[in-house]
mmCIF file of all heavy atoms in Angstrom:
data_model
loop_
_atom_site.group_PDB
_atom_site.id
_atom_site.type_symbol
_atom_site.label_atom_id
_atom_site.label_comp_id
_atom_site.label_asym_id
_atom_site.label_seq_id
_atom_site.Cartn_x
_atom_site.Cartn_y
_atom_site.Cartn_z
ATOM 1 N N GLN N 134 20.663 -1.438 0.132
ATOM 2 C CA GLN N 134 20.150 -1.392 -1.239
ATOM 3 C C GLN N 134 20.881 -0.325 -2.020
ATOM 4 O O GLN N 134 21.645 0.455 -1.450
ATOM 5 C CB GLN N 134 18.668 -1.066 -1.215
ATOM 6 C CG GLN N 134 18.408 0.332 -0.640
ATOM 7 C CD GLN N 134 17.148 0.389 0.144
ATOM 8 O OE1 GLN N 134 16.137 0.773 -0.402
ATOM 9 N NE2 GLN N 134 17.177 0.017 1.412
ATOM 10 N N TYR N 135 20.636 -0.282 -3.334
ATOM 11 C CA TYR N 135 21.192 0.808 -4.128
ATOM 12 C C TYR N 135 20.219 1.190 -5.229
ATOM 13 O O TYR N 135 19.320 0.431 -5.577
ATOM 14 C CB TYR N 135 22.555 0.432 -4.721
ATOM 15 C CG TYR N 135 22.497 -0.545 -5.868
ATOM 16 C CD1 TYR N 135 22.516 -0.096 -7.183
ATOM 17 C CD2 TYR N 135 22.418 -1.912 -5.646
ATOM 18 C CE1 TYR N 135 22.460 -0.988 -8.243
ATOM 19 C CE2 TYR N 135 22.377 -2.810 -6.688
ATOM 20 C CZ TYR N 135 22.388 -2.341 -7.992
ATOM 21 O OH TYR N 135 22.326 -3.230 -9.033
ATOM 22 N N ARG N 136 20.416 2.388 -5.763
ATOM 23 C CA ARG N 136 19.690 2.854 -6.948
ATOM 24 C C ARG N 136 20.630 3.755 -7.729
ATOM 25 O O ARG N 136 21.575 4.328 -7.182
ATOM 26 C CB ARG N 136 18.379 3.555 -6.601
ATOM 27 C CG ARG N 136 18.486 4.746 -5.709
ATOM 28 C CD ARG N 136 17.172 5.505 -5.504
ATOM 29 N NE ARG N 136 15.999 4.767 -5.179
ATOM 30 C CZ ARG N 136 15.571 4.486 -3.937
ATOM 31 N NH1 ARG N 136 16.263 4.872 -2.903
ATOM 32 N NH2 ARG N 136 14.451 3.826 -3.748
ATOM 33 N N ILE N 137 20.378 3.865 -9.025
ATOM 34 C CA ILE N 137 21.200 4.688 -9.921
ATOM 35 C C ILE N 137 20.267 5.558 -10.745
ATOM 36 O O ILE N 137 19.291 5.057 -11.318
ATOM 37 C CB ILE N 137 22.069 3.801 -10.846
ATOM 38 C CG1 ILE N 137 23.038 2.958 -10.006
ATOM 39 C CG2 ILE N 137 22.821 4.662 -11.866
ATOM 40 C CD1 ILE N 137 23.830 1.938 -10.792
ATOM 41 N N PHE N 138 20.571 6.848 -10.806
ATOM 42 C CA PHE N 138 19.741 7.767 -11.585
ATOM 43 C C PHE N 138 20.601 8.880 -12.153
ATOM 44 O O PHE N 138 21.648 9.220 -11.623
ATOM 45 C CB PHE N 138 18.600 8.344 -10.735
ATOM 46 C CG PHE N 138 19.043 9.066 -9.494
ATOM 47 C CD1 PHE N 138 19.219 10.433 -9.489
ATOM 48 C CD2 PHE N 138 19.275 8.364 -8.317
ATOM 49 C CE1 PHE N 138 19.621 11.095 -8.336
ATOM 50 C CE2 PHE N 138 19.661 9.010 -7.156
ATOM 51 C CZ PHE N 138 19.845 10.382 -7.168
ATOM 52 N N ASN N 139 20.138 9.424 -13.281
ATOM 53 C CA ASN N 139 20.845 10.518 -13.946
ATOM 54 C C ASN N 139 20.460 11.851 -13.316
ATOM 55 O O ASN N 139 19.357 12.022 -12.805
ATOM 56 C CB ASN N 139 20.494 10.544 -15.439
ATOM 57 C CG ASN N 139 21.070 9.363 -16.181
ATOM 58 O OD1 ASN N 139 22.182 8.929 -15.913
ATOM 59 N ND2 ASN N 139 20.305 8.829 -17.114
ATOM 60 N N VAL N 140 21.398 12.795 -13.373
ATOM 61 C CA VAL N 140 21.143 14.171 -12.978
ATOM 62 C C VAL N 140 21.639 15.072 -14.111
ATOM 63 O O VAL N 140 22.522 14.666 -14.857
ATOM 64 C CB VAL N 140 21.836 14.540 -11.635
ATOM 65 C CG1 VAL N 140 21.225 13.743 -10.500
ATOM 66 C CG2 VAL N 140 23.324 14.341 -11.679
ATOM 67 N N PRO N 141 21.098 16.258 -14.316
ATOM 68 C CA PRO N 141 20.073 16.857 -13.460
ATOM 69 C C PRO N 141 18.712 16.210 -13.691
ATOM 70 O O PRO N 141 18.336 15.930 -14.820
ATOM 71 C CB PRO N 141 20.068 18.322 -13.871
ATOM 72 C CG PRO N 141 20.560 18.339 -15.277
ATOM 73 C CD PRO N 141 21.500 17.173 -15.396
ATOM 74 N N GLN N 142 18.026 15.982 -12.605
ATOM 75 C CA GLN N 142 16.676 15.435 -12.608
ATOM 76 C C GLN N 142 16.059 15.806 -11.256
ATOM 77 O O GLN N 142 16.667 15.540 -10.226
ATOM 78 C CB GLN N 142 16.715 13.906 -12.752
ATOM 79 C CG GLN N 142 15.384 13.259 -12.669
ATOM 80 C CD GLN N 142 15.445 11.755 -12.978
ATOM 81 O OE1 GLN N 142 14.505 11.247 -13.544
ATOM 82 N NE2 GLN N 142 16.496 11.067 -12.620
ATOM 83 N N PRO N 143 14.886 16.421 -11.240
ATOM 84 C CA PRO N 143 14.291 16.811 -9.968
ATOM 85 C C PRO N 143 14.025 15.583 -9.090
ATOM 86 O O PRO N 143 13.420 14.609 -9.546
ATOM 87 C CB PRO N 143 12.984 17.498 -10.361
ATOM 88 C CG PRO N 143 13.171 17.897 -11.785
ATOM 89 C CD PRO N 143 14.072 16.865 -12.376
ATOM 90 N N HIS N 144 14.474 15.653 -7.832
ATOM 91 C CA HIS N 144 14.258 14.565 -6.892
ATOM 92 C C HIS N 144 14.329 15.093 -5.471
ATOM 93 O O HIS N 144 14.872 16.163 -5.225
ATOM 94 C CB HIS N 144 15.271 13.429 -7.104
ATOM 95 C CG HIS N 144 16.698 13.840 -6.951
ATOM 96 N ND1 HIS N 144 17.400 14.504 -7.939
ATOM 97 C CD2 HIS N 144 17.569 13.679 -5.930
ATOM 98 C CE1 HIS N 144 18.630 14.734 -7.540
ATOM 99 N NE2 HIS N 144 18.768 14.242 -6.310
ATOM 100 N N CYS N 145 13.777 14.327 -4.554
ATOM 101 C CA CYS N 145 13.846 14.637 -3.129
ATOM 102 C C CYS N 145 13.887 13.316 -2.366
ATOM 103 O O CYS N 145 13.667 12.253 -2.926
ATOM 104 C CB CYS N 145 12.679 15.504 -2.677
ATOM 105 S SG CYS N 145 11.062 14.712 -2.743
ATOM 106 N N VAL N 146 14.193 13.406 -1.075
ATOM 107 C CA VAL N 146 14.312 12.228 -0.220
ATOM 108 C C VAL N 146 13.442 12.436 1.016
ATOM 109 O O VAL N 146 13.369 13.544 1.540
ATOM 110 C CB VAL N 146 15.785 12.019 0.219
ATOM 111 C CG1 VAL N 146 15.917 10.770 1.075
ATOM 112 C CG2 VAL N 146 16.716 11.966 -0.992
ATOM 113 N N PHE N 147 12.783 11.369 1.472
ATOM 114 C CA PHE N 147 11.997 11.426 2.689
ATOM 115 C C PHE N 147 12.325 10.225 3.558
ATOM 116 O O PHE N 147 12.749 9.183 3.066
ATOM 117 C CB PHE N 147 10.493 11.466 2.383
ATOM 118 C CG PHE N 147 9.993 10.221 1.697
ATOM 119 C CD1 PHE N 147 9.449 9.180 2.446
ATOM 120 C CD2 PHE N 147 10.067 10.086 0.325
ATOM 121 C CE1 PHE N 147 8.993 8.034 1.828
ATOM 122 C CE2 PHE N 147 9.612 8.939 -0.303
ATOM 123 C CZ PHE N 147 9.075 7.911 0.444
ATOM 124 N N ALA N 148 12.166 10.393 4.853
ATOM 125 C CA ALA N 148 12.420 9.291 5.788
ATOM 126 C C ALA N 148 11.400 9.325 6.916
ATOM 127 O O ALA N 148 11.262 10.335 7.596
ATOM 128 C CB ALA N 148 13.833 9.386 6.355
ATOM 129 N N ASN N 149 10.700 8.221 7.083
ATOM 130 C CA ASN N 149 9.810 8.040 8.216
ATOM 131 C C ASN N 149 10.337 6.915 9.106
ATOM 132 O O ASN N 149 9.583 6.288 9.843
ATOM 133 C CB ASN N 149 8.391 7.756 7.736
ATOM 134 C CG ASN N 149 7.830 8.954 7.004
ATOM 135 O OD1 ASN N 149 7.862 10.063 7.520
ATOM 136 N ND2 ASN N 149 7.344 8.749 5.802
ATOM 137 N N CYS N 150 11.640 6.660 8.961
ATOM 138 C CA CYS N 150 12.371 5.688 9.766
ATOM 139 C C CYS N 150 13.844 6.109 9.703
ATOM 140 O O CYS N 150 14.189 7.052 8.992
ATOM 141 C CB CYS N 150 12.197 4.271 9.223
ATOM 142 S SG CYS N 150 12.874 4.008 7.570
ATOM 143 N N LYS N 151 14.708 5.430 10.424
ATOM 144 C CA LYS N 151 16.143 5.729 10.317
ATOM 145 C C LYS N 151 16.633 5.306 8.940
ATOM 146 O O LYS N 151 16.262 4.244 8.435
ATOM 147 C CB LYS N 151 16.919 5.015 11.418
ATOM 148 C CG LYS N 151 16.610 5.562 12.789
ATOM 149 C CD LYS N 151 17.408 4.850 13.854
ATOM 150 C CE LYS N 151 17.047 5.419 15.222
ATOM 151 N NZ LYS N 151 17.801 4.743 16.289
ATOM 152 N N ARG N 152 17.489 6.170 8.331
ATOM 153 C CA ARG N 152 17.982 5.933 6.974
ATOM 154 C C ARG N 152 19.364 6.541 6.853
ATOM 155 O O ARG N 152 19.619 7.629 7.378
ATOM 156 C CB ARG N 152 17.039 6.596 5.962
ATOM 157 C CG ARG N 152 17.416 6.409 4.511
ATOM 158 C CD ARG N 152 16.474 7.227 3.623
ATOM 159 N NE ARG N 152 16.441 6.785 2.259
ATOM 160 C CZ ARG N 152 17.181 7.304 1.292
ATOM 161 N NH1 ARG N 152 18.032 8.281 1.540
ATOM 162 N NH2 ARG N 152 17.078 6.846 0.066
ATOM 163 N N LYS N 153 20.260 5.863 6.148
ATOM 164 C CA LYS N 153 21.573 6.408 5.801
ATOM 165 C C LYS N 153 21.767 6.236 4.308
ATOM 166 O O LYS N 153 21.339 5.229 3.736
ATOM 167 C CB LYS N 153 22.690 5.687 6.555
ATOM 168 C CG LYS N 153 22.661 5.959 8.039
ATOM 169 C CD LYS N 153 23.824 5.300 8.738
ATOM 170 C CE LYS N 153 23.745 5.583 10.238
ATOM 171 N NZ LYS N 153 24.887 5.051 10.970
ATOM 172 N N SER N 154 22.418 7.220 3.676
ATOM 173 C CA SER N 154 22.675 7.120 2.239
ATOM 174 C C SER N 154 24.059 7.653 1.914
ATOM 175 O O SER N 154 24.531 8.607 2.535
ATOM 176 C CB SER N 154 21.601 7.868 1.453
ATOM 177 O OG SER N 154 21.665 9.259 1.700
ATOM 178 N N TYR N 155 24.675 7.007 0.943
ATOM 179 C CA TYR N 155 26.032 7.337 0.515
ATOM 180 C C TYR N 155 26.033 7.372 -1.004
ATOM 181 O O TYR N 155 25.805 6.350 -1.654
ATOM 182 C CB TYR N 155 27.020 6.279 1.004
ATOM 183 C CG TYR N 155 26.933 6.011 2.486
ATOM 184 C CD1 TYR N 155 26.097 5.023 2.987
ATOM 185 C CD2 TYR N 155 27.661 6.778 3.387
ATOM 186 C CE1 TYR N 155 25.999 4.791 4.347
ATOM 187 C CE2 TYR N 155 27.567 6.554 4.757
ATOM 188 C CZ TYR N 155 26.737 5.553 5.228
ATOM 189 O OH TYR N 155 26.645 5.325 6.566
ATOM 190 N N GLY N 156 26.284 8.560 -1.579
ATOM 191 C CA GLY N 156 26.203 8.704 -3.028
ATOM 192 C C GLY N 156 27.520 9.051 -3.676
ATOM 193 O O GLY N 156 28.391 9.671 -3.061
ATOM 194 N N TRP N 157 27.662 8.635 -4.938
ATOM 195 C CA TRP N 157 28.848 8.995 -5.706
ATOM 196 C C TRP N 157 28.490 9.133 -7.173
ATOM 197 O O TRP N 157 27.453 8.684 -7.636
ATOM 198 C CB TRP N 157 29.991 7.995 -5.500
ATOM 199 C CG TRP N 157 29.690 6.589 -5.904
ATOM 200 C CD1 TRP N 157 29.972 6.007 -7.105
ATOM 201 C CD2 TRP N 157 29.078 5.577 -5.115
ATOM 202 N NE1 TRP N 157 29.566 4.699 -7.104
ATOM 203 C CE2 TRP N 157 29.024 4.415 -5.886
ATOM 204 C CE3 TRP N 157 28.573 5.547 -3.821
ATOM 205 C CZ2 TRP N 157 28.479 3.227 -5.428
ATOM 206 C CZ3 TRP N 157 28.028 4.370 -3.356
ATOM 207 C CH2 TRP N 157 27.988 3.231 -4.142
#
Side-chain angles (χ1 to χ4, degrees):
Q134 64 215 264
Y135 74 96
R136 58 174 48 91
I137 298 173
F138 57 95
N139 291 321
V140 294
Q142 176 174 214
H144 59 281
C145 67
V146 182
F147 64 94
N149 295 309
C150 64
K151 292 181 181 180
R152 181 185 200 265
K153 292 183 181 184
S154 66
Y155 307 91
W157 61 94

